[in-house]
Amino acid sequence: MDVTVEVVGETTHQVSIDNGATYADLLAAINYSPQEVSVLVGGSPVPEDQSVGAETVRVVRLIKGG
């Protein structure tokens, strides 16, 4: 499955994942930890252990250096 991952305010990634992959797997593919971001599908947060079921997701960083 191909998924478009938009990291809000930063970049967009095209990621190919296996069926049954979780949102944590998706984050690992773009080098983010579930502890530093929230994954949104249709504007609502999804649990990191849920299987990916959307072709487009948004990732919002919770921690930003400064």
Side-chain angles (χ1 to χ4, degrees), residues 1-5 13-17 25-26 29-30:
M1 172 182 208
D2 292 329
V3 181
T4 301
V5 182
H13 304 269
Q14 296 294 331
V15 181
S16 292
I17 58 169
D25 297 328
L26 187 63
I30 60 169

Side-chain angles (χ1 to χ4, degrees), residues 22-38:
T22 64
Y23 287 102
D25 297 328
L26 187 63
L27 291 173
I30 60 169
N31 297 316
Y32 282 96
S33 165
Q35 289 77 28
E36 66 182 318
V37 299
S38 280

Side-chain angles (χ1 to χ4, degrees), residues 1-8 12-15 17 23 26 39-44 46 52-59:
M1 172 182 208
D2 292 329
V3 181
T4 301
V5 182
E6 175 194 356
V7 181
V8 176
T12 301
H13 304 269
Q14 296 294 331
V15 181
I17 58 169
Y23 287 102
L26 187 63
V39 178
L40 306 175
V41 174
S44 298
V46 293
V52 177
E55 293 181 2
T56 303
V57 301
R58 297 182 84 197
V59 173

